[in-house]
Structures are given as structure tokens and as C-alpha cells.
Amino acid sequence: MSRLDQFPVGASLTLADLENDVHPVLHRLRAVEPVSWLPALNAWLVTRRDLAIEVMRKPDLFTVDHAGFSTAQVVGPSMLSLDGGEHLRHRGPFEAPFRLGAVQARFSGVVAAHVEELLDGLTARGRAELRREFAGPLAVKTMITALGLDDTETSVAAVLGWYDAIVDAVTRVTAGEPVSQAGRAAFAALKDNLLPALKRPPETSLLAAAAGMAGGLSEDQIVSNAAVLLFGGIETTEGMIANALYFLLTQPDILNLVRTNSSLWPAVIEESLRLEPAAAVVDRYAVQDVRLGQAQLAAGELVRVSLAAANRDPAVFANPDTFDPFRPNLRAHVTFAQGPHVCLGLHLARLEAHVALAQLLTRLPGLQLENPEAARPRGLVFRKPPALRATWPV
Ligand code: HEM
């Protein structure tokens, strides 16, 4: 039987089906083809939570260390593109400064100050596009602090410029083009700016702290991992905060809950992370011919794990499409992945979400979306509102 006959639901799907109102599609797949072949992706798509976790926890069978991954071609090998011993070597120095206590000590005040400054600039205006004018800049400023770069308007613009050029270069390499001159130049500029920060004392930045512990890593390798932090910390954090704002501003009962009881913030943030993970898909390559669920995968094939689907698996989450901050297993979502590549920045991400949302809603009472339908999160890999235009009384 051909794959198209074996996986008719997968065969019927287009990219548009996977980008917009994806959740009904994922429910259908999970029910009948939990590991399905999708010609539109030229890849397997895994939608059941237990199978998703199996893929993420078995790097010897499903690896990130593959030429198909384009990031390494632009920024060099890093923890994101390595598995096994080399992965541990690259990730190890960054573990301690990203632990909960270390993150709280280093970032609580800094993030609150960034949020306050951003809100000072917005409050009197009465309207803003909160994804690009609030969530995005907060994510960038926080990573600039983490990497020990100067927090000036020019450096924010420069970091965003390098970021855009590197993302563009990675996208082009994925499409089969060579690494662009602009991509190379942007990475070189990022490197020139990071090298002095690496050499400062550990208390000056998270990157300097990691560099102090990176005995076995060369400067180039530290810089490659720092570039990966920048990727990890910008797009996803912007999406995480924008998605949570979308849920809060379209569900007044949830908004009232946290307005009247701020101890519910962590639960509300977890539930938003579950329902709309900003990084909705993670990719692996099959190391050898392997069976996963009912499907037979061939060595070298791309396996895409849908975190969005795993997070709404009805076998684990009752009424999976409902926003319920009181569900008993709130933290069973896999939004930050699992296994060796579990998100390094998850404590920092949660801290940013909490501070940003609590301060925003305190300072802008009466905040409303202009067009909730236009703010609905979408996207295949990165899911977030295209725009979050909001108004408030001044
Ligand atoms: C402060 C912000 C963040 C930083 C600095 C950060 C950093 C990182 C890094 C360095 C990795 C790679 C770890 C490894 O390969 O060993 C990673 C993985 C990951 N992060 Fe984050 N991250 C941040 C926020 C987020 C957010 C907000 C989300 C989702 C809402 C997220 C989702 C993920 C996922 C799904 C992976 C796994 C990728 C994979 O397995 O292929 N991250 N993160």
C-alpha cells in the first residue's frame, strides 16, 4: 500500500490547513493517524502526546544532528544542532545561569524595569500594536541584557537587524540556497559585539557567567550558542506573551480572575502555553529505519513533532480546547519540549510573561482588542497573532 493510501488524512492536508485553524485538523490526525505522512510537509507529523515525547526523548533514534538543519550552516554548530556528548558539552556551561534561582536573582528587577520603560512610552497613547510594540521589544531587551550587550536604542535596532538577517539566511539555506553574504556579515557583526562581553566578569551578564564555565568550548563555539540563545529568546517569547494576551483579552472571565487574584498568574500562563505553544513544531531526523506507533519510518526522513497537538491530547487533558487554569495537570504540556533539548530558557520565559502581563494589565485598565478575529494566533512552526492592535482609555 502506498503512503498516500495508508495515511489519507495526512495526504489531504495543505499548508494552509496547518497554518490557520489548525486544532480541528490536529484532532482529526491524532484520532486516526497519530503518526502520519504529510506530502505538504514532505515529512512525518506526530500528533499524539506519548509518541511526541518518545521522539523527543530518544536522540539516538531521532536526532537534530543532520545536514537538513540549516541553523548550523549559518551560526556554526551549537547545542541546538548537536546530540549526545557534543550536545552536553555545548549546553553544559549554560545550565547553571539558566536555573530558576539564578534567573530570578539576575532578571526579576531587570525585566520589571524593561516592562516599566516600555509602558512609560505607551500609556499616554491610548492605542498600540502590542505584539510589535510591547512583547517583541521586551524579548529583545531581555536577551540584550542576558548577552551583556549595551541596552541603547541603537543596539536594540542593531540586534534586531542581525537577527532578521540571520533568520532570513537560515530560511534561504532551508530552501536550498547557499549561506547569503548578508547572513555571514550579520553573524560576524554579532560575534564582534559578543566577544568583549564574554570576557567580562561573570556577574555582568548571563553570557559572561556561562563563558566562565565553558572550559572546553572555544570562543567561536560560545558565540554560536549565544546566537542560538538569541533565536530561542526572541521570536518564541514575543509569541508567548502575545498569545497569552490574546486569550486574556478575548476571555473576560479569565481576565477578571487574574485581576482579582494575582496568585493565579502562573496557572493562567501555563494554560496559555498549553493551548497555543509559540513554537508549535520541533523537528528531528530518523537515524535509522524505525517504527513509531503504527508507522514505518525510513532512515533520514524528517519527523515533525506537533507540540500544539500533543498539548491538546484528550487522553491527558479533559476538554482539551477549553482554557481552564484550574485543571489538575496544567504543567503536563510539552510547550518547552522534553528530553535533552528541553528549553533552556523556560524559567526566564515564564518570568518575562508573568511580569509583562501583570504590569501591563495593572497599568492599562480598560485594555481592549480592536479586532479579536484578526488577532487569532496562526502559523505552522511559530504561532502567534499577526497583530495585536489594542486600545485603552487615557
Ligand atoms: C528567554 C527566552 C528563551 C530562551 C533564552 C530560550 C532558549 C532555548 C535554547 C537555547 C534552546 C535549545 C536547547 C538545546 O537544544 O539543548 C531552546 C529549546 C527550546 N525552546 Fe526555548 N528559549 C526561550 C523561550 C522559549 C519559549 C517562550 C518557548 C515556547 C513558548 C520555547 C520553546 C522551546 C522549544 C520547543 C525548544 C526545543 C527545541 C527542540 O527540541 O528542537 N523557548 N530554548
Side-chain angles (χ1 to χ4, degrees), residues 356-384:
L357 296 167
Q359 277 190 229
L360 178 79
L361 292 168
T362 306
R363 286 200 43 191
L364 306 180
L367 186 64
Q368 278 191 326
L369 284 181
E370 278 184 359
N371 179 352
E373 195 42 44
R376 190 185 281 278
R378 62 198 71 169
L380 171 67
V381 176
F382 294 113
R383 279 185 79 73
K384 57 188 172 188

PDB file of all heavy atoms in Angstrom, residues 356-384:
ATOM      1  N   ALA A 356       5.459  40.870  32.513  1.00  0.00           N
ATOM      2  CA  ALA A 356       4.913  41.681  31.423  1.00  0.00           C
ATOM      3  C   ALA A 356       3.391  41.773  31.514  1.00  0.00           C
ATOM      4  O   ALA A 356       2.809  42.861  31.439  1.00  0.00           O
ATOM      5  CB  ALA A 356       5.308  41.068  30.074  1.00  0.00           C
ATOM      6  N   LEU A 357       2.743  40.635  31.700  1.00  0.00           N
ATOM      7  CA  LEU A 357       1.275  40.634  31.666  1.00  0.00           C
ATOM      8  C   LEU A 357       0.709  41.312  32.906  1.00  0.00           C
ATOM      9  O   LEU A 357      -0.224  42.122  32.818  1.00  0.00           O
ATOM     10  CB  LEU A 357       0.759  39.195  31.555  1.00  0.00           C
ATOM     11  CG  LEU A 357       1.156  38.492  30.253  1.00  0.00           C
ATOM     12  CD1 LEU A 357       0.906  37.003  30.339  1.00  0.00           C
ATOM     13  CD2 LEU A 357       0.408  39.093  29.070  1.00  0.00           C
ATOM     14  N   ALA A 358       1.267  41.012  34.079  1.00  0.00           N
ATOM     15  CA  ALA A 358       0.723  41.598  35.310  1.00  0.00           C
ATOM     16  C   ALA A 358       0.876  43.121  35.277  1.00  0.00           C
ATOM     17  O   ALA A 358      -0.061  43.859  35.580  1.00  0.00           O
ATOM     18  CB  ALA A 358       1.419  40.991  36.527  1.00  0.00           C
ATOM     19  N   GLN A 359       2.044  43.609  34.850  1.00  0.00           N
ATOM     20  CA  GLN A 359       2.247  45.071  34.837  1.00  0.00           C
ATOM     21  C   GLN A 359       1.388  45.745  33.769  1.00  0.00           C
ATOM     22  O   GLN A 359       0.813  46.797  34.000  1.00  0.00           O
ATOM     23  CB  GLN A 359       3.725  45.414  34.609  1.00  0.00           C
ATOM     24  CG  GLN A 359       4.525  45.348  35.899  1.00  0.00           C
ATOM     25  CD  GLN A 359       5.947  45.924  35.739  1.00  0.00           C
ATOM     26  OE1 GLN A 359       6.888  45.284  36.138  1.00  0.00           O
ATOM     27  NE2 GLN A 359       6.105  47.100  35.160  1.00  0.00           N
ATOM     28  N   LEU A 360       1.305  45.117  32.619  1.00  0.00           N
ATOM     29  CA  LEU A 360       0.520  45.709  31.526  1.00  0.00           C
ATOM     30  C   LEU A 360      -0.944  45.875  31.943  1.00  0.00           C
ATOM     31  O   LEU A 360      -1.551  46.928  31.756  1.00  0.00           O
ATOM     32  CB  LEU A 360       0.605  44.808  30.288  1.00  0.00           C
ATOM     33  CG  LEU A 360      -0.205  45.253  29.072  1.00  0.00           C
ATOM     34  CD1 LEU A 360       0.526  46.368  28.324  1.00  0.00           C
ATOM     35  CD2 LEU A 360      -0.457  44.103  28.111  1.00  0.00           C
ATOM     36  N   LEU A 361      -1.511  44.815  32.520  1.00  0.00           N
ATOM     37  CA  LEU A 361      -2.939  44.872  32.832  1.00  0.00           C
ATOM     38  C   LEU A 361      -3.215  45.769  34.036  1.00  0.00           C
ATOM     39  O   LEU A 361      -4.306  46.317  34.163  1.00  0.00           O
ATOM     40  CB  LEU A 361      -3.477  43.463  33.046  1.00  0.00           C
ATOM     41  CG  LEU A 361      -3.466  42.676  31.730  1.00  0.00           C
ATOM     42  CD1 LEU A 361      -3.723  41.206  31.961  1.00  0.00           C
ATOM     43  CD2 LEU A 361      -4.475  43.234  30.731  1.00  0.00           C
ATOM     44  N   THR A 362      -2.228  45.961  34.903  1.00  0.00           N
ATOM     45  CA  THR A 362      -2.412  46.900  36.011  1.00  0.00           C
ATOM     46  C   THR A 362      -2.365  48.330  35.488  1.00  0.00           C
ATOM     47  O   THR A 362      -3.171  49.175  35.871  1.00  0.00           O
ATOM     48  CB  THR A 362      -1.280  46.714  37.056  1.00  0.00           C
ATOM     49  OG1 THR A 362      -1.268  45.351  37.424  1.00  0.00           O
ATOM     50  CG2 THR A 362      -1.502  47.571  38.283  1.00  0.00           C
ATOM     51  N   ARG A 363      -1.418  48.586  34.600  1.00  0.00           N
ATOM     52  CA  ARG A 363      -1.242  49.976  34.157  1.00  0.00           C
ATOM     53  C   ARG A 363      -2.226  50.400  33.085  1.00  0.00           C
ATOM     54  O   ARG A 363      -2.439  51.592  32.877  1.00  0.00           O
ATOM     55  CB  ARG A 363       0.203  50.183  33.684  1.00  0.00           C
ATOM     56  CG  ARG A 363       1.115  50.241  34.894  1.00  0.00           C
ATOM     57  CD  ARG A 363       2.437  50.877  34.674  1.00  0.00           C
ATOM     58  NE  ARG A 363       2.519  52.099  33.904  1.00  0.00           N
ATOM     59  CZ  ARG A 363       3.672  52.602  33.499  1.00  0.00           C
ATOM     60  NH1 ARG A 363       4.803  51.980  33.798  1.00  0.00           N
ATOM     61  NH2 ARG A 363       3.715  53.713  32.812  1.00  0.00           N
ATOM     62  N   LEU A 364      -2.796  49.453  32.364  1.00  0.00           N
ATOM     63  CA  LEU A 364      -3.739  49.821  31.306  1.00  0.00           C
ATOM     64  C   LEU A 364      -5.107  49.182  31.563  1.00  0.00           C
ATOM     65  O   LEU A 364      -5.536  48.278  30.825  1.00  0.00           O
ATOM     66  CB  LEU A 364      -3.216  49.378  29.934  1.00  0.00           C
ATOM     67  CG  LEU A 364      -1.818  49.828  29.539  1.00  0.00           C
ATOM     68  CD1 LEU A 364      -1.463  49.313  28.155  1.00  0.00           C
ATOM     69  CD2 LEU A 364      -1.684  51.349  29.573  1.00  0.00           C
ATOM     70  N   PRO A 365      -5.826  49.645  32.587  1.00  0.00           N
ATOM     71  CA  PRO A 365      -7.159  49.084  32.794  1.00  0.00           C
ATOM     72  C   PRO A 365      -8.038  49.484  31.605  1.00  0.00           C
ATOM     73  O   PRO A 365      -7.810  50.523  30.996  1.00  0.00           O
ATOM     74  CB  PRO A 365      -7.640  49.735  34.100  1.00  0.00           C
ATOM     75  CG  PRO A 365      -6.733  50.881  34.355  1.00  0.00           C
ATOM     76  CD  PRO A 365      -5.495  50.718  33.542  1.00  0.00           C
ATOM     77  N   GLY A 366      -8.989  48.674  31.282  1.00  0.00           N
ATOM     78  CA  GLY A 366      -9.856  49.015  30.143  1.00  0.00           C
ATOM     79  C   GLY A 366      -9.237  48.644  28.805  1.00  0.00           C
ATOM     80  O   GLY A 366      -9.745  49.010  27.741  1.00  0.00           O
ATOM     81  N   LEU A 367      -8.127  47.893  28.841  1.00  0.00           N
ATOM     82  CA  LEU A 367      -7.465  47.445  27.600  1.00  0.00           C
ATOM     83  C   LEU A 367      -8.410  46.545  26.782  1.00  0.00           C
ATOM     84  O   LEU A 367      -9.039  45.651  27.337  1.00  0.00           O
ATOM     85  CB  LEU A 367      -6.224  46.641  28.008  1.00  0.00           C
ATOM     86  CG  LEU A 367      -5.265  46.172  26.948  1.00  0.00           C
ATOM     87  CD1 LEU A 367      -4.608  47.363  26.256  1.00  0.00           C
ATOM     88  CD2 LEU A 367      -4.191  45.282  27.572  1.00  0.00           C
ATOM     89  N   GLN A 368      -8.502  46.831  25.471  1.00  0.00           N
ATOM     90  CA  GLN A 368      -9.391  46.034  24.607  1.00  0.00           C
ATOM     91  C   GLN A 368      -8.747  45.792  23.254  1.00  0.00           C
ATOM     92  O   GLN A 368      -8.070  46.675  22.732  1.00  0.00           O
ATOM     93  CB  GLN A 368     -10.669  46.827  24.324  1.00  0.00           C
ATOM     94  CG  GLN A 368     -11.675  46.743  25.429  1.00  0.00           C
ATOM     95  CD  GLN A 368     -12.998  47.319  24.986  1.00  0.00           C
ATOM     96  OE1 GLN A 368     -13.028  48.269  24.202  1.00  0.00           O
ATOM     97  NE2 GLN A 368     -14.086  46.754  25.477  1.00  0.00           N
ATOM     98  N   LEU A 369      -9.029  44.642  22.659  1.00  0.00           N
ATOM     99  CA  LEU A 369      -8.559  44.402  21.294  1.00  0.00           C
ATOM    100  C   LEU A 369      -9.463  45.134  20.302  1.00  0.00           C
ATOM    101  O   LEU A 369     -10.683  45.148  20.476  1.00  0.00           O
ATOM    102  CB  LEU A 369      -8.607  42.907  20.976  1.00  0.00           C
ATOM    103  CG  LEU A 369      -7.520  42.037  21.577  1.00  0.00           C
ATOM    104  CD1 LEU A 369      -7.713  40.599  21.132  1.00  0.00           C
ATOM    105  CD2 LEU A 369      -6.141  42.545  21.173  1.00  0.00           C
ATOM    106  N   GLU A 370      -8.852  45.724  19.255  1.00  0.00           N
ATOM    107  CA  GLU A 370      -9.667  46.400  18.240  1.00  0.00           C
ATOM    108  C   GLU A 370     -10.440  45.388  17.401  1.00  0.00           C
ATOM    109  O   GLU A 370     -11.587  45.595  17.057  1.00  0.00           O
ATOM    110  CB  GLU A 370      -8.767  47.233  17.317  1.00  0.00           C
ATOM    111  CG  GLU A 370      -8.438  48.570  17.925  1.00  0.00           C
ATOM    112  CD  GLU A 370      -7.622  49.441  16.970  1.00  0.00           C
ATOM    113  OE1 GLU A 370      -7.293  49.012  15.841  1.00  0.00           O
ATOM    114  OE2 GLU A 370      -7.303  50.547  17.396  1.00  0.00           O
ATOM    115  N   ASN A 371      -9.757  44.273  17.061  1.00  0.00           N
ATOM    116  CA  ASN A 371     -10.392  43.287  16.196  1.00  0.00           C
ATOM    117  C   ASN A 371      -9.920  41.886  16.613  1.00  0.00           C
ATOM    118  O   ASN A 371      -8.916  41.378  16.113  1.00  0.00           O
ATOM    119  CB  ASN A 371      -9.989  43.586  14.745  1.00  0.00           C
ATOM    120  CG  ASN A 371     -10.609  42.583  13.787  1.00  0.00           C
ATOM    121  OD1 ASN A 371     -11.207  41.584  14.196  1.00  0.00           O
ATOM    122  ND2 ASN A 371     -10.448  42.848  12.500  1.00  0.00           N
ATOM    123  N   PRO A 372     -10.647  41.270  17.560  1.00  0.00           N
ATOM    124  CA  PRO A 372     -10.190  39.981  18.105  1.00  0.00           C
ATOM    125  C   PRO A 372      -9.952  38.932  17.021  1.00  0.00           C
ATOM    126  O   PRO A 372      -9.003  38.148  17.121  1.00  0.00           O
ATOM    127  CB  PRO A 372     -11.344  39.565  19.025  1.00  0.00           C
ATOM    128  CG  PRO A 372     -12.040  40.838  19.385  1.00  0.00           C
ATOM    129  CD  PRO A 372     -11.879  41.749  18.200  1.00  0.00           C
ATOM    130  N   GLU A 373     -10.777  38.914  15.976  1.00  0.00           N
ATOM    131  CA  GLU A 373     -10.617  37.885  14.944  1.00  0.00           C
ATOM    132  C   GLU A 373      -9.252  38.027  14.258  1.00  0.00           C
ATOM    133  O   GLU A 373      -8.573  37.031  13.983  1.00  0.00           O
ATOM    134  CB  GLU A 373     -11.771  38.006  13.933  1.00  0.00           C
ATOM    135  CG  GLU A 373     -11.950  36.810  13.017  1.00  0.00           C
ATOM    136  CD  GLU A 373     -11.807  35.450  13.708  1.00  0.00           C
ATOM    137  OE1 GLU A 373     -12.363  35.258  14.818  1.00  0.00           O
ATOM    138  OE2 GLU A 373     -11.109  34.575  13.135  1.00  0.00           O
ATOM    139  N   ALA A 374      -8.834  39.284  14.020  1.00  0.00           N
ATOM    140  CA  ALA A 374      -7.551  39.500  13.341  1.00  0.00           C
ATOM    141  C   ALA A 374      -6.370  39.140  14.242  1.00  0.00           C
ATOM    142  O   ALA A 374      -5.239  39.019  13.772  1.00  0.00           O
ATOM    143  CB  ALA A 374      -7.444  40.963  12.906  1.00  0.00           C
ATOM    144  N   ALA A 375      -6.632  38.994  15.536  1.00  0.00           N
ATOM    145  CA  ALA A 375      -5.541  38.715  16.476  1.00  0.00           C
ATOM    146  C   ALA A 375      -5.390  37.224  16.770  1.00  0.00           C
ATOM    147  O   ALA A 375      -4.490  36.820  17.497  1.00  0.00           O
ATOM    148  CB  ALA A 375      -5.797  39.467  17.791  1.00  0.00           C
ATOM    149  N   ARG A 376      -6.251  36.411  16.180  1.00  0.00           N
ATOM    150  CA  ARG A 376      -6.190  34.968  16.457  1.00  0.00           C
ATOM    151  C   ARG A 376      -4.812  34.404  16.068  1.00  0.00           C
ATOM    152  O   ARG A 376      -4.338  34.655  14.960  1.00  0.00           O
ATOM    153  CB  ARG A 376      -7.286  34.291  15.628  1.00  0.00           C
ATOM    154  CG  ARG A 376      -7.547  32.859  15.941  1.00  0.00           C
ATOM    155  CD  ARG A 376      -8.564  32.312  14.960  1.00  0.00           C
ATOM    156  NE  ARG A 376      -9.921  32.693  15.300  1.00  0.00           N
ATOM    157  CZ  ARG A 376     -10.665  32.062  16.207  1.00  0.00           C
ATOM    158  NH1 ARG A 376     -10.172  31.026  16.846  1.00  0.00           N
ATOM    159  NH2 ARG A 376     -11.882  32.465  16.472  1.00  0.00           N
ATOM    160  N   PRO A 377      -4.161  33.647  16.975  1.00  0.00           N
ATOM    161  CA  PRO A 377      -2.827  33.117  16.648  1.00  0.00           C
ATOM    162  C   PRO A 377      -2.847  32.215  15.424  1.00  0.00           C
ATOM    163  O   PRO A 377      -3.798  31.458  15.225  1.00  0.00           O
ATOM    164  CB  PRO A 377      -2.456  32.294  17.902  1.00  0.00           C
ATOM    165  CG  PRO A 377      -3.296  32.849  18.992  1.00  0.00           C
ATOM    166  CD  PRO A 377      -4.573  33.306  18.347  1.00  0.00           C
ATOM    167  N   ARG A 378      -1.828  32.329  14.602  1.00  0.00           N
ATOM    168  CA  ARG A 378      -1.700  31.444  13.438  1.00  0.00           C
ATOM    169  C   ARG A 378      -0.231  31.198  13.113  1.00  0.00           C
ATOM    170  O   ARG A 378       0.650  31.869  13.661  1.00  0.00           O
ATOM    171  CB  ARG A 378      -2.456  32.008  12.247  1.00  0.00           C
ATOM    172  CG  ARG A 378      -1.958  33.332  11.756  1.00  0.00           C
ATOM    173  CD  ARG A 378      -2.999  34.013  10.900  1.00  0.00           C
ATOM    174  NE  ARG A 378      -4.121  34.473  11.733  1.00  0.00           N
ATOM    175  CZ  ARG A 378      -5.087  35.283  11.318  1.00  0.00           C
ATOM    176  NH1 ARG A 378      -5.126  35.675  10.078  1.00  0.00           N
ATOM    177  NH2 ARG A 378      -6.023  35.701  12.135  1.00  0.00           N
ATOM    178  N   GLY A 379       0.008  30.261  12.203  1.00  0.00           N
ATOM    179  CA  GLY A 379       1.389  29.935  11.826  1.00  0.00           C
ATOM    180  C   GLY A 379       1.631  28.444  11.971  1.00  0.00           C
ATOM    181  O   GLY A 379       0.994  27.799  12.803  1.00  0.00           O
ATOM    182  N   LEU A 380       2.542  27.926  11.148  1.00  0.00           N
ATOM    183  CA  LEU A 380       2.816  26.484  11.183  1.00  0.00           C
ATOM    184  C   LEU A 380       3.812  26.145  12.290  1.00  0.00           C
ATOM    185  O   LEU A 380       3.536  25.354  13.174  1.00  0.00           O
ATOM    186  CB  LEU A 380       3.363  26.050   9.813  1.00  0.00           C
ATOM    187  CG  LEU A 380       3.916  24.637   9.714  1.00  0.00           C
ATOM    188  CD1 LEU A 380       2.815  23.609   9.886  1.00  0.00           C
ATOM    189  CD2 LEU A 380       4.612  24.427   8.375  1.00  0.00           C
ATOM    190  N   VAL A 381       4.992  26.769  12.250  1.00  0.00           N
ATOM    191  CA  VAL A 381       6.007  26.479  13.268  1.00  0.00           C
ATOM    192  C   VAL A 381       5.905  27.491  14.400  1.00  0.00           C
ATOM    193  O   VAL A 381       5.794  27.135  15.569  1.00  0.00           O
ATOM    194  CB  VAL A 381       7.419  26.496  12.653  1.00  0.00           C
ATOM    195  CG1 VAL A 381       8.475  26.299  13.742  1.00  0.00           C
ATOM    196  CG2 VAL A 381       7.552  25.396  11.615  1.00  0.00           C
ATOM    197  N   PHE A 382       5.951  28.771  14.057  1.00  0.00           N
ATOM    198  CA  PHE A 382       5.809  29.805  15.083  1.00  0.00           C
ATOM    199  C   PHE A 382       4.380  30.308  15.040  1.00  0.00           C
ATOM    200  O   PHE A 382       3.945  30.853  14.022  1.00  0.00           O
ATOM    201  CB  PHE A 382       6.801  30.944  14.837  1.00  0.00           C
ATOM    202  CG  PHE A 382       8.219  30.496  15.004  1.00  0.00           C
ATOM    203  CD1 PHE A 382       9.083  30.437  13.929  1.00  0.00           C
ATOM    204  CD2 PHE A 382       8.686  30.097  16.248  1.00  0.00           C
ATOM    205  CE1 PHE A 382      10.389  29.994  14.081  1.00  0.00           C
ATOM    206  CE2 PHE A 382       9.987  29.652  16.418  1.00  0.00           C
ATOM    207  CZ  PHE A 382      10.838  29.603  15.334  1.00  0.00           C
ATOM    208  N   ARG A 383       3.644  30.098  16.115  1.00  0.00           N
ATOM    209  CA  ARG A 383       2.230  30.509  16.140  1.00  0.00           C
ATOM    210  C   ARG A 383       2.049  31.707  17.048  1.00  0.00           C
ATOM    211  O   ARG A 383       2.417  31.680  18.229  1.00  0.00           O
ATOM    212  CB  ARG A 383       1.347  29.362  16.657  1.00  0.00           C
ATOM    213  CG  ARG A 383       1.033  28.349  15.592  1.00  0.00           C
ATOM    214  CD  ARG A 383       0.081  27.299  16.077  1.00  0.00           C
ATOM    215  NE  ARG A 383      -1.314  27.710  16.101  1.00  0.00           N
ATOM    216  CZ  ARG A 383      -2.084  27.864  15.039  1.00  0.00           C
ATOM    217  NH1 ARG A 383      -1.586  27.668  13.826  1.00  0.00           N
ATOM    218  NH2 ARG A 383      -3.354  28.208  15.155  1.00  0.00           N
ATOM    219  N   LYS A 384       1.492  32.778  16.479  1.00  0.00           N
ATOM    220  CA  LYS A 384       1.217  33.971  17.277  1.00  0.00           C
ATOM    221  C   LYS A 384       0.232  34.861  16.522  1.00  0.00           C
ATOM    222  O   LYS A 384       0.000  34.645  15.310  1.00  0.00           O
ATOM    223  CB  LYS A 384       2.504  34.723  17.573  1.00  0.00           C
ATOM    224  CG  LYS A 384       3.301  35.133  16.347  1.00  0.00           C
ATOM    225  CD  LYS A 384       4.636  35.703  16.784  1.00  0.00           C
ATOM    226  CE  LYS A 384       5.528  35.951  15.596  1.00  0.00           C
ATOM    227  NZ  LYS A 384       6.885  36.322  15.957  1.00  0.00           N
TER     228      LYS A 384
END
